[in-house]
Amino acid sequence: MSSATPTLADYDHAIETFDPVLGLEVHVELGTATKMFCGCSTAFGAPPNTQVCPVCLALPGAMPVVNATAVEYAVRIGLALHCSIASWCRFARKNYFYPDMPKNFQTSQYDEPIAVNGYLDVQVDGETVRVEIERAHMEEDTGKSTHVGGLTGRIHGAEYSLLDYNRAGVPLVEIVTKPITGTKASAPAVARAYVAALRDLLLSLEVSDVRMDQGSLRCDANVSLTPAGNPVFGTRTETKNVNSLRSVERAVRHEICRQAAVLEAGGRIVQETRHFDESTGTTSPGRSKETAEDYRYFPEPDLVPLAPAPEWVEGIRASLPELPWLRRARLQQEWGLSDLEMRDLVAADAVGLVEATVDAGAPADQARSWWSAYLGQQANSRGVSLAELPITPQQVARVVALVAAGTLSAKLARQVVDGVLAGEGDPDEVVAARGLAVVSDDSALQQAVDQALAAAPDVADRIRSGRVQAVGAVVGAVMKATRGQADAARVRELVFSTLGVQA
Amino acid sequence: MTAAGATPDLPADLTRASAADLAAGIAGGTVSAVEVAQAHLDRIAAVDPGDRGVHAFLHVSGDLALEQAAAVDAARAAGRTAASPLAGVPLALKDIVVQQGAPATAGSRILEGWMPPYDATVTTRLLEAGVVILGKTNLDEFAMGSSTENSAYGPSRNPWDLDRIPGGSGGGSAAALAAFEAPLAIGTDTGGSIRQPAAVTGTVGAKPTYGGVSRYGVIALASSLDQVGPCARTVLDTALLHEVIAGHDPRDSTSIPEPVPSVVDAVHRGRADGVAGMRIGVVRELGGEGYQPGVLDSFRAAVAALEAAGAEIVEVSCPHFRYGLAAYYLILPSECSSNLARFDAMRYGLRVEPAAGQPVSAETVMSATRGAGFGAEVKRRIILGTYALSAGYYDAYYGSAQKVRTLIKGDFDQAFGAAGGGAGCDVLVSPASPVTAFRLGEKVDDPLAMYLNDLATIPGSLAGIPAMSVPSGLAADTGLPVGLQIMAPALGEAAMYRVASAFETLYVAEHGSTVPLSVPELVVNP
Ligand SMILES: [Zn+2]
């Protein structure tokens, strides 16, 4: 890798010359209330070192106890990925010194993981790609180091480091793919689609909030290149902590171009950990793995082996929710949407919102229309996701119902939604507070009609004489008097009946 | 011992009374728990400190102990029934078990001054039982040793001869009992750290079945071997303490979710019925070469006494025991190299800055702290264990050692089991320590010679079975105490205590008193 080497090859050229091989390791923080081996809370964002105890601080004498819910979640994940669930498995200690790991070993699983040999089918450009899963295993998260001073924000060169152990011991499941081969030019898209599908799946399993921005789903992307047609894998690099779907795609693409440039210049790829820089879309070298650390794994003697009972595993299998892609296909059919319409809903993360709105009683077309049109614009202009808008599917469904009942016109409905978004309460409260209901009370309307007719006797005469189109002027006057809240059709009927005219 | 409800005649010197008698005296109002605690604190002050003091204690919790004793007296005054059959009795706690309000050092410089913010489960059970904790006792650093000479705070001395070691690692607890500084003590046994000190100080110490007592709050040496156990001067006191501390603990997932064996009943049965009809196996491999003649003579006499009392004596062979020591010194260092990784200056304990001129980083601080804070034996075992677990060596060392462990368990199964040509023994016996107490400094520079002290105790540790040492008398060649080891199948503590109790009864019948009561008068700091 001399400095004369062009740093990046052209992507199309790289793909013609080399076959990319991917390996994806995804860490998921489980959404259990408590940590993997103690009773401390896992809530995100608490003041530093307030969610700690003798166990997760590794005080002398403290001992771990396995969180049964975390095991259940790991089994759910394994089953949803079509893995075999081990009838007997153990935790192991992964020994290495690092200040954010209180015991200086991580309690993980090594050669006896809870789930092995599965797959996940993902859709890439309308094609199904099967990504094979090597294993899913349980482990615990580390604490968080903040390195202060120095240039890189890394431990070396820092003036001092701050340690927060709130995250230490939070349950993780690590999902490791087998090498993903044969993807050619779509390798970056496959990587992204895999992580996206996994995220969807984990969300539907209700085992994690899968917030990539908060680190509850983290992806490490292994990339290697092998000369086109060569069955022997090349040396791989591992790009750590790629924290958005877009970054997964960019990081893989960047590594393909970078490695191709190195190889074409006659260089060799160094097996190393690399860091992805979101701002530049590039990776830079981290710790070299040439002198691979020896983790001195051995079975965790403080924990008894786990032997999930077959009946228990089958019970979990039976309770698995509908897989997200099957659910989407069903909903698309039920709602009568085209592929494109469905894809737009998926892209906007609106499927669940629309479904909940339908469940609350709204017709599918109107539920979809609200979320993809008016609410979509509102979310865009506020720079938030649909789910983050301060309106619930139940509230949207209520607005739809008020329109259907004739209480609201389309224009008033949008004003009611604005009121809900502004925090003025439920739709009915907004209607009452803003006085927005269409006036459908005949006595109030009749009074307005009588007043309008009295104010314009000539128009009344003209209508009586059969020039029915003159009714428009009376309706206009009533609408003005009711500040647009009257139902125009009903006003028209009342004008004719008052004047004894057959419409 | 007196009948339940009756008030015993307590000796004028309360420190010479048994725990059972003290508890009965306190419950019956003959004496207050505060008086008992004060008598023991006075005894500690008299014999423990000084250049030639026993030095059983690293920390004496005088105020805490008197407070606990006063609470027991107050409960009695308020008419409440005693919290346990040991309410108000003082105890010496090995300084590897954490107790709030008392520093915990594990005998190491690296933890000097650390105040644990929580109680071990054992500590909680003791306090709930009304047991009065006098203080923390000395031990080899992180329980690695057989003499307490590896303590960073200096060795303890054997009350039978102050120039000799009290055994280890739990030498402080054993010496406290033998010196009448406490009638009860807590030990931990990884390869013999309860039984060997009991043997060389003429006291009683039991290692329960692995998982019988919670390890939560007990600073780990080798997690798959460590076990907490009761120590006392009589078998009954040991059994009473056993029942207080044993039982399942949800905070230690290796603790056994089974009822605690009725060991106190077993002691009474041993006194009443003796060993008639019991089958006792003598392990051929635990004797002979490496065993002191005086120890073997005492052991043979003990076996003869059991036989005369009606036990059937059979010789059993446990061929894989010869690999026990080697396997043990792979498993223990491997686990301890990992368990001791947490002592890194980041959160508690000693913190040493790197030498001048060296860069200051987390690594260099960890390295400087561990270099300064750990003693030679601890470093030796961390290095051994780190090596044994290394990629490429794991199978040859740790893996093979685990296989030996399985084979040793098989030997025990064969000795205890009746089926398939098994010997069908109720218990197995051997000397608990191959030698009587040796001189301070005698083996301190020869780690291999030191390791041999655990020759007889290690097989039981590797198999996770219960085993105890009860005094068999004094060795003719040295005049020092010898321990009889009694081993039973997992959860077979009742048979073990029955034999121990029967033997103690036979011994008292022949010699007029138990071994601990025949210890010479201590003359410290003359
Ligand atoms: Zn915790």
Side-chain angles (χ1 to χ4, degrees):
Chain A
M1 284 188 299
S2 74
S3 54
T5 311
T7 47
L8 291 181
D10 171 70
Y11 183 72
D12 293 334
H13 174 73
I15 291 300
E16 272 166 37
T17 320
F18 300 100
D19 290 338
V21 177
L22 304 177
L24 298 166
E25 294 169 17
V26 170
H27 286 88
V28 193
E29 270 186 9
L30 299 183
T32 52
T34 57
K35 294 185 180 182
M36 188 74 219
F37 300 114
C38 64
C40 292
S41 167
T42 56
F44 182 80
N49 298 312
T50 56
Q51 293 172 173
V52 293
C53 74
V55 176
C56 57
L57 283 178
L59 295 191
M63 291 181 71
V65 174
V66 174
N67 180 334
T69 307
V71 177
E72 185 191 324
Y73 284 9
V75 170
R76 282 166 86 94
I77 292 170
L79 290 172
L81 291 170
H82 309 96
C83 290
S84 317
I85 303 302
S87 57
W88 189 92
C89 70
R90 279 193 290 195
F91 285 94
R93 292 185 182 180
K94 180 180 182 180
N95 294 286
Y96 64 100
F97 282 84
Y98 203 80
D100 65 14
M101 199 169 52
K103 292 173 291 192
N104 286 315
F105 61 78
Q106 182 189 32
T107 307
S108 179
Q109 293 195 291
Y110 178 49
D111 50 357
E112 295 158 319
I114 187 141
V116 294
N117 292 330
Y119 63 85
L120 180 61
D121 285 336
V122 304
Q123 302 295 320
V124 183
D125 297 332
E127 305 247 322
T128 300
V129 177
R130 175 158 292 190
V131 175
E132 293 194 273
I133 306 294
E134 167 108 18
R135 58 190 279 156
H137 71 250
M138 295 176 282
E139 58 185 34
E140 57 179 334
D141 213 339
T142 60
K144 217 165 190 169
S145 305
T146 308
H147 306 297
V148 183
L151 297 172
T152 59
R154 296 188 199 160
I155 191 165
H156 291 287
E159 276 173 51
Y160 60 92
S161 301
L162 298 172
L163 294 165
D164 175 6
Y165 293 107
N166 283 353
R167 201 182 66 183
V170 167
L172 293 178
V173 164
E174 182 177 349
I175 300 159
V176 183
T177 67
K178 291 181 180 168
I180 305 166
T181 59
T183 56
K184 305 270 186 203
S186 58
V190 169
R192 178 186 180 138
Y194 167 74
V195 178
L198 194 56
R199 197 187 59 164
D200 266 9
L201 176 66
L202 296 166
L203 204 55
S204 77
L205 293 173
E206 295 179 342
V207 295
S208 170
D209 62 0
V210 288
R211 292 280 301 265
M212 292 186 87
D213 56 328
Q214 290 182 357
S216 60
L217 186 142
R218 308 195 282 271
C219 177
D220 301 341
N222 290 276
V223 178
S224 68
L225 296 183
T226 182
N230 186 335
V232 181
F233 296 165
T235 304
R236 67 188 162 84
T237 60
E238 181 181 15
T239 303
K240 283 275 186 199
N241 290 332
V242 192
N243 290 331
S244 72
L245 292 178
R246 183 162 166 262
S247 296
V248 171
E249 188 164 4
R250 291 166 80 205
V252 169
R253 189 181 174 97
H254 179 268
E255 267 305 285
I256 291 172
C257 296
R258 188 190 68 82
Q259 292 187 17
V262 171
L263 293 170
E264 290 220 293
R268 74 187 180 95
I269 302 301
V270 181
Q271 186 172 343
E272 64 188 354
T273 298
R274 298 182 68 86
H275 293 273
F276 181 71
D277 184 335
E278 301 257 357
S279 61
T280 61
T282 60
T283 66
S284 60
R287 187 157 40 94
S288 166
K289 285 206 171 174
E290 296 261 298
T291 52
E293 211 163 336
D294 182 351
Y295 293 120
R296 307 190 311 281
Y297 283 101
F298 73 104
E300 167 58 271
D302 281 334
L303 292 171
V304 289
L306 288 174
E311 317 81 71
W312 182 68
V313 172
E314 289 315 308
I316 294 173
R317 192 195 301 278
S319 74
L320 286 181
E322 187 180 16
L323 295 176
W325 40 92
L326 297 179
R327 168 172 160 257
R328 278 198 295 271
R330 174 177 60 78
L331 291 175
Q332 184 180 347
Q333 202 191 6
E334 284 175 14
W335 298 345
L337 301 183
S338 70
D339 286 356
L340 184 65
E341 287 166 333
M342 193 65 196
R343 204 174 309 158
D344 287 346
L345 281 189
V346 172
D349 264 335
V351 176
L353 296 167
V354 172
E355 190 187 24
T357 309
V358 171
D359 286 349
D365 57 339
Q366 294 184 45
R368 183 178 76 87
S369 154
W370 271 108
W371 287 106
S372 55
Y374 188 68
L375 289 168
Q377 293 157 19
Q378 296 303 309
N380 265 340
S381 66
R382 291 163 182 238
V384 299
S385 70
L386 282 175
E388 286 166 333
L389 282 176
I391 188 168
T392 65
Q394 291 70 26
Q395 290 170 327
V396 174
R398 179 63 186 153
V399 171
V400 171
L402 289 171
V403 173
T407 310
L408 293 178
S409 63
K411 183 174 154 228
L412 287 180
R414 283 195 289 277
Q415 292 180 33
V416 172
V417 167
D418 289 342
V420 175
L421 292 174
E424 293 168 20
D426 278 330
D428 291 295
E429 290 166 348
V430 176
V431 167
R434 289 195 181 189
L436 288 179
V438 171
V439 178
S440 56
D441 175 342
D442 275 4
S443 65
L445 273 187
Q446 186 65 57
Q447 204 182 343
V449 167
D450 290 348
Q451 282 171 5
L453 289 174
D458 51 327
V459 177
D461 287 346
R462 265 185 284 161
I463 296 170
R464 274 195 207 94
S465 64
R467 294 165 60 186
V468 290
Q469 63 270 36
V471 76
V474 183
V475 172
V478 171
M479 293 308 279
K480 196 173 171 195
T482 58
R483 299 199 317 280
Q485 293 174 43
D487 178 349
R490 183 65 189 145
V491 173
R492 207 180 147 86
E493 285 168 20
L494 285 175
V495 173
F496 290 135
S497 67
T498 305
L499 298 175
V501 175
Q502 208 67 27
Chain B
M1 174 58 188
T2 37
T7 307
D9 289 329
L10 289 171
D13 178 356
L14 291 172
T15 66
R16 298 193 64 92
S18 73
D21 285 352
L22 287 172
I26 294 164
T30 312
V31 68
S32 73
V34 167
E35 285 175 88
V36 171
Q38 192 59 58
H40 286 91
L41 290 169
D42 291 347
R43 173 72 177 172
I44 293 168
V47 303
D48 215 56
D51 287 349
R52 283 181 56 80
V54 176
H55 192 225
F57 286 85
L58 292 177
H59 175 80
V60 179
S61 308
D63 293 344
L64 266 183
L66 291 171
E67 233 172 77
Q68 291 156 15
V72 170
D73 289 336
R76 185 180 173 278
R80 290 202 284 277
T81 47
S84 80
L86 290 175
V89 180
L91 171 141
L93 187 61
K94 189 178 182 182
D95 195 19
I96 200 161
V97 180
V98 305
Q99 177 197 5
Q100 286 187 72
T105 68
S108 182
R109 198 60 77 190
I110 209 159
L111 268 181
E112 193 167 9
W114 181 59
M115 294 295 288
Y118 75 109
D119 279 335
T121 298
V122 165
T123 306
T124 305
R125 291 194 176 168
L126 290 169
L127 294 175
E128 283 173 356
V131 172
V132 173
I133 300 176
L134 296 170
K136 308 294 288 290
T137 58
N138 197 17
L139 67 160
D140 288 295
E141 186 175 5
F142 288 106
M144 298 183 209
S146 303
S147 70
T148 70
E149 290 165 298
N150 293 334
S151 168
Y153 306 97
S156 301
R157 293 172 182 273
N158 191 325
W160 288 81
D161 178 347
L162 293 172
D163 290 324
R164 293 180 185 266
I165 60 97
S169 66
S173 281
L177 295 171
F180 297 94
E181 294 171 273
L184 297 172
I186 292 293
T188 60
D189 190 313
T190 304
S193 285
I194 287 176
R195 292 163 284 165
Q196 182 259 3
V200 302
T201 58
T203 57
V204 182
K207 179 195 96 71
T209 304
Y210 179 78
V213 180
S214 171
R215 291 186 291 123
Y216 187 80
V218 181
I219 301 173
L221 166 55
S223 307
S224 74
L225 296 160
D226 294 347
Q227 188 51 210
V228 183
C231 308
R233 285 187 301 263
T234 71
V235 176
L236 174 62
D237 287 357
T238 310
L240 288 165
L241 182 55
H242 191 125
E243 291 194 358
V244 165
I245 61 173
H248 179 64
D249 176 13
R251 288 202 279 199
D252 171 1
S253 67
T254 66
S255 82
I256 305 168
E258 297 282 340
V260 178
S262 303
V263 294
V264 174
D265 284 352
V267 170
H268 293 310
R269 183 154 183 222
R271 286 181 178 179
D273 302 348
V275 288
M278 292 187 84
R279 199 167 156 91
I280 297 176
V282 174
V283 182
R284 186 189 303 153
E285 286 77 9
L286 300 180
E289 201 192 335
Y291 288 75
Q292 184 184 315
V295 166
L296 290 177
D297 287 345
S298 175
F299 173 67
R300 279 188 215 104
V303 171
L306 290 168
E307 188 167 26
E312 184 190 357
I313 306 293
V314 293
E315 190 184 64
V316 299
S317 177
C318 295
H320 299 99
F321 280 17
R322 53 198 285 231
Y323 306 114
L325 200 68
Y328 177 81
Y329 277 102
L330 288 167
I331 292 168
L332 179 143
S334 296
E335 294 183 8
C336 97
S337 72
S338 175
N339 281 333
L340 267 54
R342 67 188 58 193
F343 300 101
D344 64 359
M346 295 295 129
R347 293 168 306 286
Y348 45 77
L350 184 72
R351 184 183 182 102
V352 176
E353 298 295 324
Q358 266 205 59
V360 179
S361 69
E363 283 96 335
T364 56
V365 169
M366 285 182 185
S367 170
T369 301
R370 291 167 66 82
F374 287 141
E377 182 61 27
V378 172
K379 287 178 188 164
R380 181 180 295 124
R381 297 199 196 180
I382 289 175
I383 291 168
L384 275 173
T386 303
Y387 183 78
L389 288 176
S390 301
Y393 296 100
Y394 176 88
D395 288 338
Y397 293 130
Y398 194 77
S400 303
Q402 293 293 6
K403 284 179 194 151
V404 168
R405 205 168 173 175
T406 305
L407 292 170
I408 286 175
K409 275 184 192 150
D411 283 355
F412 276 118
D413 288 345
Q414 188 73 9
F416 291 125
C425 295
D426 295 304
V427 299
L428 301 178
V429 293
S430 77
S433 166
V435 294
T436 53
F438 47 91
R439 287 181 184 283
L440 285 161
E442 192 179 325
K443 299 183 181 178
V444 78
D445 295 323
D446 187 351
L448 286 179
M450 197 67 97
Y451 295 171
L452 290 173
N453 285 295
D454 294 333
L455 206 53
T457 45
I458 278 173
S461 294
L462 289 170
I465 59 164
M468 70 189 289
S469 178
V470 60
S472 63
L474 304 181
D477 48 6
T478 58
L480 292 166
V482 177
L484 169 68
Q485 179 175 230
I486 306 164
M487 297 170 275
L491 294 174
E493 273 91 343
M496 176 177 89
Y497 274 97
R498 179 180 164 191
V499 172
S501 160
F503 180 78
E504 183 185 55
T505 307
L506 292 171
Y507 187 91
V508 171
E510 188 179 341
H511 296 86
S513 84
T514 58
V515 171
L517 289 174
S518 59
V519 66
E521 185 59 36
L522 253 184
V523 185
V524 299
N525 312 316

